[in-house]
Amino acid sequence: MEFKTKKNQNASVDLKLTFDKNDLEKAFEKTYKEKQKDLKIPGFRPGKAPIEMVKRHLGDSVANDAINLLLLETVSELSGKLEHKIVRFPKFTVEDYVPEKSLVATAVYDTDPEVSLGKYKKIKIKLPEVQVTDEDITEELQFVRKQLARKLLREPGEGAENGDIVDMEFEVKEEGQEPKNAKNGSSDYKLGEPNNLPGFDDNLFGIKTGETKNFFYTYPSDYPREDLAGKKMEFAMTLKAIYKEVLPELDDDLASEYDGSSSLQALKDKIKTDLQKNYTEAVKSKKMEDIYKELVADSKFVFPESYLTEESDHVYQNMMQDVLGRGQARIPKEQIPSIEKYAEMVGKPLEEVRDSFKTIAENRLKGYFSRQKLASAENIVLTEEDFDREISTLASRYGMSDADFKKELEKGKLLETYRDNFLAKKIDDTLFQLVEKKYNEKMSIRQLKEFLSNKETGEVWQ
């Protein structure tokens, strides 16, 4: 067997295979023996006919099977010899076949994407410096107090106030109609919470325990339940119990109860350290978006068309899973509309829709392969020590031993996924250290929360 290759400009390779008489004889011999196992010839039990009789009986009818076997074995044999490796089995075309003499087959196969990284060490970023203020610590301590808060039952003559926690029973009906359901109930409902229905709690302030109040409430027009959105409903509300929230004092006892800290000052110091660490990491994560975008923009990529096609389909399938399954139920692939049908649904030309998913796919591929190329350029690997250290950190976070945590990951077949994630993190950490950084301003935690909430879309490295 002889082979010739020619590298193309689109990360593909032309492959030509030439086989002689000896190659063909071996392939046919293997095919005949395989067919012999099930072949029925009069006078012989299935699989027991002599091989020479099998050959005469089948003749050249096994040519397709023999050629396919020959190509399959040849590609497997060549996998370690080719300069540009085959990333998926190619589709061959038989150019010339002379029975029992020669065979010439050609194919175009996809090889690894080509990536030329830009000057990533010259990337410059500006980022804020984390500054934990006394106000930030006080705000965190207030969260601690709320977590440890106790409920104190109000006296029968006291009305409900903003911040109180109530147990209530109510009957609701559409204006002018009879109730459709039995009475409803709700416990531990906190008055005045930001996520409560706008204006609803105003009707509850002042109601006393055991008292019933009738009132009308109109639901917002954008309320998620279509049967209630914009409708005016009549409520008959009874508060069964009203609790006043009592926050503990800020003292050493609170610190000890919360996490075993030796004193209030020790808890403050720990909060400051944690805030500094967590928000420094959060700022870094956000800035990695800018770093990778600049790296991708300054790098060159050549992808096989099949990569773009497969990733585009992956992007489309995931989007439709989110839309149809609302992020919960997994929708069978056969129930997902074709991209042609989707284009009709959104009223856009098919090519425009295809191009939009292809653009997203291309950005994702660029991010992924730039990360892999960077790992190669900087000799970044995840050692077993690295892996065990990361596992230990996660295990302690969940209150588990390292061995038990690993067992859980093995059960869910997640060990390799975690290994990939740890390597990606190590690559990101290395890149962040390599770029030029300038801290241009100091920000409190409150300011950083606003800074970090301005999320950018289309992270290219995920």
Side-chain angles (χ1 to χ4, degrees), residues 232-446:
K232 186 176 182 180
M233 308 294 287
E234 183 178 356
F235 285 80
M237 181 70 67
T238 302
L239 298 190
K240 308 295 288 185
I242 306 172
Y243 302 93
K244 179 169 56 176
E245 187 177 55
V246 181
L247 302 180
E249 293 295 325
L250 275 172
D251 53 23
D252 294 345
D253 289 339
L254 174 137
S256 178
E257 182 182 355
Y258 179 63
D259 67 354
S261 294
S262 59
S263 65
L264 179 60
Q265 186 57 51
L267 177 58
K268 288 182 178 180
D269 293 341
K270 183 178 180 182
I271 287 174
K272 183 175 183 178
T273 299
D274 289 346
L275 286 175
Q276 185 78 35
K277 177 183 176 182
N278 293 338
Y279 278 88
T280 297
E281 187 64 29
V283 168
K284 171 190 164 185
S285 296
K286 182 174 178 63
K287 281 299 177 179
M288 287 306 299
E289 299 178 17
D290 299 330
I291 293 171
Y292 271 101
K293 283 179 180 178
E294 191 167 337
L295 173 60
V296 165
D298 192 37
S299 301
K300 295 180 180 179
F301 304 87
V302 179
F303 295 113
E305 190 62 31
S306 62
Y307 273 59
L308 292 172
T309 300
E310 288 179 7
E311 186 62 20
S312 295
D313 183 64
H314 183 67
V315 171
Y316 173 71
Q317 293 291 330
N318 281 350
M319 184 205 72
M320 295 306 293
Q321 285 288 346
D322 289 341
V323 172
L324 299 178
R326 293 179 173 85
Q328 297 177 358
R330 188 74 183 169
I331 306 298
K333 190 171 182 179
E334 58 271 16
Q335 293 182 16
I336 294 178
S338 66
I339 195 167
E340 290 82 4
K341 183 65 176 179
Y342 174 76
E344 291 180 18
M345 291 164 57
V346 297
K348 292 184 178 180
L350 177 59
E351 284 309 306
E352 180 181 336
V353 172
R354 287 191 189 279
D355 287 345
S356 67
F357 287 110
K358 186 176 181 179
T359 298
I360 297 172
E362 188 172 14
N363 284 337
R364 290 188 177 184
L365 289 173
K366 285 179 177 179
Y368 174 79
F369 283 102
S370 63
R371 180 182 260 153
Q372 302 307 307
K373 187 70 173 181
L374 179 65
S376 176
E378 295 293 333
N379 296 315
I380 305 169
V381 295
L382 187 78
T383 65
E384 282 304 311
E385 291 78 9
D386 293 332
F387 180 74
D388 289 341
R389 184 168 53 252
E390 294 287 351
I391 287 291
S392 183
T393 299
L394 288 178
S396 62
R397 189 179 301 170
Y398 291 109
M400 302 172 65
S401 69
D402 295 1
D404 287 341
F405 186 65
K406 272 189 175 181
K407 285 180 182 177
E408 288 301 314
L409 295 183
E410 288 172 350
K411 285 181 184 177
K413 299 181 179 179
L414 294 172
L415 267 181
E416 290 309 308
T417 298
Y418 273 71
R419 193 180 295 275
D420 291 341
N421 291 341
F422 295 154
L423 175 59
K425 179 179 178 295
K426 190 171 184 179
I427 296 170
D428 292 350
D429 290 343
T430 301
L431 179 57
F432 189 76
Q433 292 298 321
L434 290 172
V435 302
E436 296 183 30
K437 297 174 285 294
K438 180 180 179 182
Y439 293 89
N440 58 344
E441 62 178 311
K442 293 183 177 181
M443 284 190 182
S444 67
I445 301 302
R446 180 171 294 183

Side-chain angles (χ1 to χ4, degrees), residues 1 22 44 79 91 169 216 238 240-241 253 400 450 462:
M1 185 273 299
N22 187 49
F44 298 92
S79 61
K91 182 178 180 180
E169 184 179 73
F216 289 97
T238 302
K240 308 295 288 185
D253 289 339
M400 302 172 65
E450 183 176 351
Q462 294 184 350

Side-chain angles (χ1 to χ4, degrees), residues 33 43 73 78 99 105 139 149 174 213 250 257 305 393 441:
K33 288 182 178 179
E73 290 184 343
L78 287 176
E139 189 172 322
E174 196 167 348
K213 179 180 178 181
L250 275 172
E257 182 182 355
E305 190 62 31
T393 299
E441 62 178 311

Side-chain angles (χ1 to χ4, degrees), residues 22-38:
N22 187 49
D23 298 322
L24 288 172
E25 285 179 352
K26 289 180 180 178
F28 270 80
E29 188 72 23
K30 289 181 180 179
T31 305
Y32 285 134
K33 288 182 178 179
E34 188 63 31
K35 297 289 185 182
Q36 181 188 28
K37 297 176 183 178
D38 302 312

Side-chain angles (χ1 to χ4, degrees), residues 1-6 13-19 71 74 78 82 92-93 95-96 103-109:
M1 185 273 299
E2 294 181 355
F3 70 91
K4 292 182 179 180
T5 59
K6 177 187 174 185
V13 177
D14 292 336
L15 174 64
K16 181 178 180 181
L17 302 176
T18 302
F19 300 96
L71 293 174
T74 301
L78 287 176
L82 295 172
F92 280 92
T93 298
E95 301 290 346
D96 183 46
L103 169 70
V104 177
T106 60
V108 179
Y109 70 81

Side-chain angles (χ1 to χ4, degrees), residues 172 218-221 223-233:
V172 60
T218 302
Y219 282 85
S221 58
Y223 191 65
R225 281 185 53 180
E226 294 181 2
D227 59 326
L228 292 176
K231 285 190 177 180
K232 186 176 182 180
M233 308 294 287

